[in-house]
Structure formats: C-alpha cells, structure tokens
Amino acid sequence: MSSAAVRDRMLAAGQRITRQRDVVAGVLERARRPLGAGEICDAVTTSDPDVGRATVFRTLHSLVAAEIVQRVTLAGGQSGYLLCAADGHHHHLVCTSCGRTTDLPEAVVAPFLSRVEETHGFTVDHSSFDVHGRCADCR
Amino acid sequence: MSSAAVRDRMLAAGQRITRQRDVVAGVLERARRPLGAGEICDAVTTSDPDVGRATVFRTLHSLVAAEIVQRVTLAGGQSGYLLCAADGHHHHLVCTSCGRTTDLPEAVVAPFLSRVEETHGFTVDHSSFDVHGRCADCR
DNA sequence: ACCTATACTGATACTGCATCTCAATACGGA
DNA sequence: TCCGTATTGAGATGCAGTATCAGTATAGGT
Ligand SMILES: [Mn+2]
Ligand SMILES: [Mn+2]
Ligand SMILES: [Zn+2]
Ligand SMILES: [Zn+2]
C-alpha cells in the first residue's frame, strides 16, 4: 500500500494530512507484520523524535476508525496494528512463527456469522477473530 | 458452576486450593457476565481485603491456563474473565446490551476452522472469536 | 496568496492492567 | 506431624492508553 493511497484514504475519511500522520503511516507501511504499540512508538521516534506519544495513539485511533488500519491481537495477547491493502473491516490469520498475516476472505467468514445469527437469534454488531497458528510457508 | 466443582477442576489441574483462590473463584461464580480486571479486584477486596493484587492476577492466569476461566474481549476492548460451566476452551457471543454471554457450539466453530485450514494451508494453534451484538432477549 | 475556523499537536500528568521481586507463609502428600 | 515447595503480599515497576490545555498547522473558501 502506497503512501499516497493512505493519504487519499485519510482525506476521504475527512482527516487532515500532517507530518506526524505521515510518519506513523510510513512506519506501518514499511512493516510486514502487525506492530505493537511499543514498536510503533520506537520506530516513530527514530523517524522523527519530535512526534509526541499522544499523537501516535491519536493517529492509530484515527486510522482504525477510518478502517485504514486493523487492530489485531498478537500471540502474547497485546494489540497489534496492521496496515492492510484491503479496504474496510476484515479478519486475519496471524502466523505464530513469522508474524505475518493473511486476510480471511469474507466468503469464508460471512456464512459462519450468518449461521451464528440464525442458530442463536443473535444480531452481530461487530466481530473480530484471532486465529493464531502456522502459515503455509512456516510449516 | 458450584464452588466444589471449581476446586475439583483446580486440583485436577495440579493446583493447590487456597483461601485466596476461593475468593477469586467465588467472585466469578456469582457473576452472570464476564468481569473486567478492575471489577474483579474490587469484588475480591470487598470479600477479603487481605488478598493481594498480584495474587488476583496470578489466580486468573492459573484459571485461564487450566481452562476453567475463559478470557473474552469486552465491548470497550479490555479483557473480561468468565467462569463457564462448559469444560475446556470454547467461544462466546457477548451481548452489548446486557453483557451476558452465550456459548458458541463446537459444531458451529469446528467446520469454520477446518475450512480455514483447508483453504489457506494454515495450521490453527489457537483461536478466539469476539462476536459482539444483541442477544435474543435484548432485541 | 491570504484568512480563518478548527482540527491537530506536544508536554506532562495520570489511569488501569499486569508483572516482578523476594522474604514469609501455607498447602498437602508422606 | 513434617517438609518440600507452591503460593502469597507489599510495593516497585512496566507498558498501553487517555486527559488537559495552550499553542500550532491545515484545508478550504475568497
Ligand atoms: Mn488485511
Ligand atoms: Mn462459556
Ligand atoms: Zn509464517
Ligand atoms: Zn442481551
């Protein structure tokens, strides 16, 4: 995902483009796996020591709200932040060995959620799946 | 789930029975929804002010490791702890209105995970689903 | 290019969850 | 009852995330 594409998506979401947000987005663009809060703060500080901690979290929050960044749960249980090429909310497989993620196609998830709604009379507002294991490459 | 049953399951998991663990388990037994860490600490202190904070978390950790207590994600994103009658690891629906949980039958989850493994060549080690919405009673 | 409303920012203090240390204690099998 | 060791409490510490608020920079209109 290019830096220009991220900027376009942020503008489309009614958010302003700032130097600080470029730095945070740049860190996530360069990552090939979800990063924890600490990793992001460190990398941001390395890129630009003048970006404040609060701004990093505010930016992550904005990116998540705009569904540009997805929040996933890492193996340890802590939150990870992941910049996806795919638009909107979707689910991931997280490899416990290499840390990389794979998108879970909606075609697989939707029928599962439909079945849940049918069998339990439950209306699903929001779902997030944490599926940890070994990816095809790491077996 | 009775207090005796919890004790049996803790013993079966090779854990000792202590006054402190009884207090923590008692708090979870009386709850009809997953409790957050703060709620648990407060309730434990009310029951017995001499139980230390670290012991509460150690006990929760032990109970989760023994799969007596399940850890779920609450609507706000924070962890909730839930004592289930059902043995072993399983998944839940969490109602955003009343906070109560419903077990997700393995018969619904297993085929989904099988399909994920087949279509992605992914070996699932651990999965946890957070499905938030409105339960049948709250609609 | 300039103006302006306001979205954004940084420093700092603060909350809440969770873990670590280590000496003291209590559990439970023999 | 005795003993090895699992467990405990206090307090410090770490880490994720939020609140405040005065100052700044952006986007969009002219
Ligand atoms: Mn993705
Ligand atoms: Mn359950
Ligand atoms: Zn892998
Ligand atoms: Zn409900």
Side-chain angles (χ1 to χ4, degrees):
Chain A
M1 154 150 271
S2 76
S3 142
V6 172
R7 291 166 53 107
D8 288 347
R9 289 168 75 181
M10 291 178 76
L11 284 173
Q15 297 177 358
R16 293 183 180 178
I17 304 301
T18 67
R19 176 179 55 83
Q20 293 87 344
R21 288 178 175 182
D22 274 343
V23 172
V24 174
V27 165
L28 294 173
E29 278 161 23
R30 272 172 250 123
R32 298 213 173 139
R33 56 178 181 79
L35 298 182
E39 291 176 302
I40 295 173
C41 287
D42 288 350
V44 165
T45 299
T46 300
S47 282
D48 184 339
D50 295 332
V51 177
R53 265 176 55 79
T55 297
V56 173
F57 284 102
R58 276 188 293 238
T59 300
L60 290 174
H61 192 268
S62 298
L63 290 170
V64 169
E67 293 190 335
I68 297 170
V69 163
Q70 312 286 323
R71 195 174 186 161
V72 303
T73 302
L74 303 180
Q78 63 272 53
S79 287
Y81 299 87
L82 178 64
L83 180 62
C84 291
D87 262 329
H89 176 68
H90 58 279
H91 303 275
H92 297 93
L93 307 177
V94 182
C95 179
T96 52
S97 174
C98 66
R100 280 178 300 201
T101 62
T102 310
D103 283 0
L104 214 41
E106 198 57 22
V108 176
V109 176
F112 171 71
L113 289 178
S114 297
R115 179 142 184 233
V116 166
E117 295 200 321
E118 284 165 23
T119 54
H120 290 89
F122 192 92
T123 305
V124 175
D125 286 339
H126 178 262
S127 64
S128 75
F129 301 159
D130 294 316
V131 184
H132 296 279
R134 298 214 146 205
C135 72
D137 289 346
C138 288
R139 292 200 296 186
Chain B
M1 156 149 270
S2 75
S3 142
V6 173
R7 292 166 54 107
D8 287 347
R9 288 167 75 180
M10 292 177 76
L11 284 172
Q15 297 177 358
R16 292 185 180 175
I17 303 301
T18 67
R19 175 179 55 83
Q20 293 87 343
R21 289 177 174 180
D22 274 341
V23 172
V24 174
V27 165
L28 294 173
E29 278 162 23
R30 271 173 251 124
R32 298 215 173 142
R33 56 178 180 79
L35 299 181
E39 291 176 301
I40 295 172
C41 286
D42 289 350
V44 164
T45 299
T46 300
S47 282
D48 184 339
D50 296 332
V51 177
R53 226 187 352 274
T55 297
V56 173
F57 283 102
R58 277 188 294 236
T59 299
L60 289 173
H61 193 269
S62 299
L63 290 170
V64 169
E67 294 189 335
I68 297 169
V69 162
Q70 312 287 323
R71 196 174 186 163
V72 303
T73 301
L74 303 180
Q78 64 273 52
S79 287
Y81 298 87
L82 178 64
L83 179 63
C84 291
D87 262 329
H89 177 68
H90 58 280
H91 303 275
H92 297 93
L93 307 176
V94 182
C95 179
T96 53
S97 175
C98 65
R100 281 178 298 198
T101 63
T102 310
D103 283 0
L104 214 41
E106 198 57 21
V108 176
V109 176
F112 171 70
L113 288 179
S114 297
R115 182 148 180 229
V116 166
E117 296 201 320
E118 284 166 22
T119 54
H120 290 89
F122 192 92
T123 306
V124 176
D125 286 339
H126 178 260
S127 65
S128 73
F129 302 158
D130 293 316
V131 184
H132 296 278
R134 297 214 148 207
C135 72
D137 289 346
C138 288
R139 292 201 296 187

